[in-house]
Amino acid sequence: MWGDAFPSFLIGLREGLEAGLIVSVLVATLVRAGARSRLPQVWTGVLAAIALSLSFGAVLTFTAASLSTTAQEAFGGTLSIVAVAFVTAMVFWMRRSARSLAGEIKEKVTDALAMGAGVLVLTSFLAVGREGLETALFLWTTARAANESAGPLTGAGIGLLLAGALCWGLYRRVLRINLTRFFTATGVVLIVIAAGVLGYGLRDLQEGTVLPGGTAYAFDVSGSVDAGAWYSTLLQGVLNLTPAMTWVQVAGYVGYLAVVMTLFVRGVRGVREQSGAAGAGAGAPAPAGAVQRVGSGADGAVVGGKRAAASPVASPSVPPPARPPAEPPPTPTTAPTPTHRLPAWLIPVAVVAGPALLAGLVVALADPKPAVGETVAVSETACGQGFTAPEPGRQDFLMHNTGNQTSEVYLIDPSSNAVYGEIEGLAPGTTRDLVATVAGGTYAWRCVPADGKAVTSKAVRVGGVAGAHAVVPVSERDLAVPLKAYRAYVDRGLATLVAQTGKLSDDIRAGHLGTARADWLTAHRTYASLGAAYGTFEDFDQKIDGRPDGLPGGVHDKDFTGFLRIEYGLWHGEPAAGLKGVAQQLAEDSAGLRKAFPHQDFDSSDLPLRAHEILENTLQFELTGDTDQGGGTGLATADANLAGTRELLSVLKPLLTTRAPRLLPTVDADIARLQKLLDSAHHGTVWTPVDRLDRAAKARLDGATGQLLEDLSPVPDLLEVRKSA
């Protein structure tokens, strides 16, 4: 948590100190001018700035939440780069302005005193508002990078509290801080942190398809680095250095750091040289440890209205300024008493409520609810009654089945049959919502009753720019070629399986249990790599690879057979005589499956489903150790499952590439990452058992598998065979 909190802590401390110093100077100047009655105007401006900053943060959060996943990545990446630009400008501005900040603010306040109350409110609002907006933006980006808000919010809160305490100490003159050195040191650290935020933002833009190279990794050490260790957490939280980074990320990180840090260091040296020359011209160098006094005059008068003896300590780089003439308090003027005086609380409430209301309006506009469209009637004889051309945008169509049969309902492009939205199983007499995004194009409804022919409505034209996402339908014929290729792959695998299970049976019959263990793993991995066909194998799958779950006798039940039964015996010291019959039965079942497979019904629609389900089972069973019967080879089986998924995707590639061209490169990168993690647990012929993985390694495996599953999740929808007749 500290790794995620530190960047926000630093930005909260620095921005809070900047804003606090400005407020301290404003207050001190008014007090010294005898204008304490004008202090509420300062606090009103400060409250307005705080309200605006909080509202800005809310707008960022809720606006991002209303976007699609890809748009969220692009939006977040863009704002990360904007945040880096703001922080960079702030760092350089404070390096230049730290010495003259108090004088500039005093001058603005003096001018404001001669004008109306609104000018003083505006002065404090603008002075504090910039820091508040920068803080909100940077905090939002760091929270997004950390994938959680507790750490960044905690760090920012602590930083702001500490900044407030420091400003109070400076105001009361109980602290002596060299602000120039403080802002220089924190500037260096912030530049390093900003480089990490830039790298993270570039990665977001790649995932949002704004920038190319999302799968071109400069390095990927996720298989050898413990992501859960304290040093990994610290590096990722503070510097945004992750185990895998693309070339674009690395180039942005290194380039920003090299250019900005060089300019900043050169600027610091230049300021020091100028300060040294000024000090020499003044006649004597400033003593070591000199301290800047913010809000104090040359005679030692400090913020807060207190005065002290003239300080012998000068600024480290600027000679003591000449004492300005005392400012006379403003001369009170007599004004006519207004008939109706506004309540004193009205202006503060207004300046706080105004930004909040504005933010609420922006959020409401940024997160529009689907426009409630007309009710569209569905039946086996008519489809789309009541459908008229909708407005572009998200639409909520109320689909009401007025017929006597359950129907599938699709919103389609009639020219290509591409599907924009669908409802499966709309029962008679029921109404369900179908939410779809409508853009420029042609739209129609297609209703496919359970027992009848498809009915298509009259097409309507929607004006505007095209851009609504639609899925090009897949037919049984489209899947015929991938199915044929995959059946050939399974047939070859079953031939290999028959030979391997025969050898395993021979090993056990001869009493060579050591050899049998190695041959068992080889044969089991072959079977696991055929996972997409498991629904086709019928009863053979339970006989060959069934688990003891639910059997009355558990692992000792007579119906517990196949690979897992043999695994239990081999790794629990069971003699060969007790395993001969089970091994022989496994060989016979494998041969029977190979003979039956060409005649088994393999539904082509199973292929897209298995692309996701194979690894779902891996995550549920192999990576939990649930199927382990003592061999500790769960990761070896997971590796075989991954090989089966890769083979399945290869036969589906032509269909996926035309429908989602960016999907497979992302999935390929996920597979490579998971493969690397599995390889790191494989040493020669030995696999690390799942229960012996350290927590960080297990978390990496689960995370990589989960990410791959998430990226594979669109495949079933993209390649679903939809009814058309």
Side-chain angles (χ1 to χ4, degrees):
M1 181 175 176
W2 175 241
D4 295 332
F6 179 74
S8 297
F9 163 78
L10 186 62
I11 199 70
L13 173 62
R14 184 182 171 105
E15 296 276 14
L17 191 55
E18 288 183 29
L21 289 173
I22 292 172
V23 173
S24 297
V25 174
L26 285 170
V27 172
T29 305
L30 289 175
V31 170
R32 291 182 62 200
R36 288 179 178 270
S37 61
R38 307 289 290 275
L39 289 178
Q41 298 166 16
V42 174
W43 297 119
T44 298
V46 171
L47 282 175
I50 294 173
L52 179 65
S53 303
L54 293 176
S55 301
F56 180 56
V59 168
L60 293 179
T61 301
F62 289 105
T63 300
S66 70
L67 301 174
S68 65
T69 302
T70 302
Q72 284 185 34
E73 301 295 346
F75 181 71
T78 302
L79 288 184
S80 294
I81 293 175
V82 172
V84 170
F86 277 152
V87 169
T88 305
M90 176 265 292
V91 166
F92 281 88
W93 177 76
M94 278 308 296
R95 189 201 67 198
R96 295 190 305 268
S97 306
R99 304 173 189 281
S100 58
L101 181 65
E104 293 176 1
I105 297 298
K106 285 181 183 180
E107 183 178 349
K108 290 181 180 179
V109 173
T110 302
D111 294 340
L113 284 173
M115 302 175 72
V119 178
L120 191 56
V121 172
L122 183 63
T123 300
S124 58
F125 171 78
L126 294 177
V128 178
R130 195 186 84 155
E131 272 62 49
L133 292 176
E134 287 177 354
T135 302
L137 179 56
F138 196 83
L139 181 60
W140 186 85
T141 56
T142 53
R144 178 180 170 83
N147 290 319
E148 57 101 11
S149 58
L153 285 175
T154 300
I158 295 173
L160 290 171
L161 288 174
L162 181 56
L166 291 174
C167 288
W168 179 87
L170 290 170
Y171 182 87
R172 304 299 299 175
R173 203 182 176 192
V174 296
L175 290 177
R176 296 160 62 89
I177 298 176
N178 189 316
L179 294 175
T180 301
R181 292 181 181 176
F182 171 82
F183 285 120
T184 299
T186 55
V188 170
V189 179
L190 275 178
I191 288 172
V192 176
I193 291 174
V197 174
L198 176 63
Y200 177 83
L202 292 174
R203 180 57 180 165
D204 271 355
L205 291 177
Q206 289 180 308
E207 292 179 351
T209 69
V210 176
L211 293 178
T215 59
Y217 287 92
F219 61 85
D220 185 352
V221 295
S222 55
S224 56
V225 171
D226 183 1
W230 66 269
Y231 54 84
S232 298
T233 303
L234 191 64
L235 284 175
Q236 185 162 344
V238 176
L239 305 180
N240 269 303
L241 292 175
T242 57
M245 295 181 71
T246 64
W247 283 108
V248 171
Q249 283 182 279
V250 172
Y253 188 99
V254 175
Y256 172 87
L257 201 58
V259 173
V260 176
M261 188 67 78
T262 300
L263 293 175
F264 185 78
V265 172
R266 285 181 179 176
V268 171
R269 289 176 179 173
V271 170
R272 287 178 178 172
E273 290 172 0
Q274 293 175 8
S275 300
V291 179
Q292 273 194 322
R293 301 188 181 280
V294 177
S296 63
D299 62 349
V302 297
V303 290
K306 295 185 177 181
R307 291 184 177 272
S311 172
V313 182
S315 170
S317 58
V318 179
R323 179 175 179 178
E327 299 173 2
T331 302
T333 58
T334 303
T337 304
T339 305
H340 300 287
R341 182 184 297 275
L342 293 175
W345 52 266
L346 183 60
I347 294 179
V349 169
V351 299
V352 172
L357 292 175
L358 181 61
L361 179 62
V362 172
V363 169
L365 294 176
D367 185 20
K369 303 301 180 187
V372 179
E374 62 270 340
T375 298
V376 180
V378 173
S379 73
E380 57 269 24
T381 58
C383 185
Q385 291 182 337
F387 179 52
T388 57
E391 294 294 325
R394 293 178 68 201
Q395 299 289 334
D396 185 0
F397 299 101
L398 304 178
M399 311 305 299
H400 179 62
N401 191 340
T402 60
N404 299 316
Q405 294 188 36
T406 299
S407 292
E408 310 289 318
V409 183
Y410 305 105
L411 179 63
I412 65 169
D413 177 350
S415 63
S416 65
N417 291 323
V419 177
Y420 293 98
E422 63 184 299
I423 293 179
E424 296 182 354
L426 182 62
T430 61
T431 301
R432 287 165 59 185
D433 290 56
L434 188 153
V435 178
T437 299
V438 175
T442 305
Y443 297 84
W445 292 103
R446 176 165 294 162
C447 306
V448 185
D451 185 16
K453 294 184 178 181
V455 181
T456 303
S457 73
K458 179 181 178 180
V460 300
R461 178 74 186 175
V462 176
V465 180
H469 177 68
V471 176
V472 179
V474 175
S475 66
E476 295 280 356
R477 177 179 294 181
D478 294 327
L479 287 171
V481 173
L483 179 60
K484 181 179 180 181
Y486 194 77
R487 288 189 71 109
Y489 163 77
V490 173
D491 193 60
R492 293 192 301 270
L494 290 176
T496 303
L497 179 68
V498 170
Q500 291 172 342
T501 53
K503 186 174 186 306
L504 172 61
S505 179
D506 292 342
D507 292 338
I508 293 177
R509 185 183 302 109
H512 301 152
L513 298 187
T515 305
R517 293 188 185 94
D519 289 340
W520 175 90
L521 180 58
T522 300
H524 189 240
R525 280 170 52 81
T526 296
Y527 185 78
S529 68
L530 309 177
Y534 68 81
T536 305
F537 292 163
E538 300 173 350
D539 293 340
F540 284 104
D541 185 57
Q542 179 62 31
K543 295 177 182 178
I544 293 173
D545 204 36
R547 297 187 298 276
D549 305 351
L551 297 177
V555 294
H556 302 293
D557 196 279
K558 62 181 179 60
D559 292 329
F560 181 34
T561 61
F563 278 113
L564 299 188
R565 172 64 182 90
I566 296 173
E567 178 188 10
Y568 180 85
L570 288 175
W571 273 274
H572 283 84
E574 192 170 337
L579 295 174
K580 286 182 182 179
V582 182
Q584 179 62 34
Q585 185 64 48
L586 174 62
E588 292 175 1
D589 289 337
S590 299
L593 174 59
R594 187 196 177 193
K595 183 178 180 180
F597 178 69
H599 310 288
Q600 290 176 330
D601 182 23
F602 197 148
D603 191 343
S604 59
S605 63
D606 282 350
L607 289 179
L609 293 174
R610 301 297 182 255
H612 189 264
E613 289 179 351
I614 295 173
L615 290 175
E616 272 189 338
N617 289 340
T618 301
L619 189 62
Q620 181 180 359
F621 298 115
E622 273 69 42
L623 295 186
T624 59
D626 186 71
T627 56
D628 187 5
Q629 300 300 320
T633 58
L635 295 185
T637 305
D639 182 74
N641 290 340
L642 185 61
T645 300
R646 188 185 289 112
E647 179 65 28
L648 178 58
L649 291 173
S650 71
V651 301
L652 294 175
K653 183 177 180 178
L655 295 177
L656 290 172
T657 301
T658 57
R659 288 164 174 79
R662 298 187 181 94
L663 176 64
L664 284 180
T666 300
V667 168
D668 288 342
D670 292 340
I671 289 176
R673 188 175 298 112
L674 179 56
Q675 186 67 66
K676 199 168 186 178
L677 291 172
L678 290 170
D679 290 345
S680 68
H682 184 202
H683 310 285
T685 60
V686 179
W687 290 81
T688 303
V690 172
D691 59 2
R692 294 185 187 175
L693 290 171
D694 62 71
R695 195 154 72 180
K698 179 65 165 57
R700 286 197 298 271
L701 265 174
D702 290 345
T705 307
Q707 182 63 54
L708 177 53
L709 280 171
E710 182 179 340
D711 290 334
L712 283 172
S713 60
V715 173
D717 283 336
L718 288 171
L719 302 184
E720 179 184 354
V721 178
R722 292 173 169 85
K723 295 180 181 180
S724 58

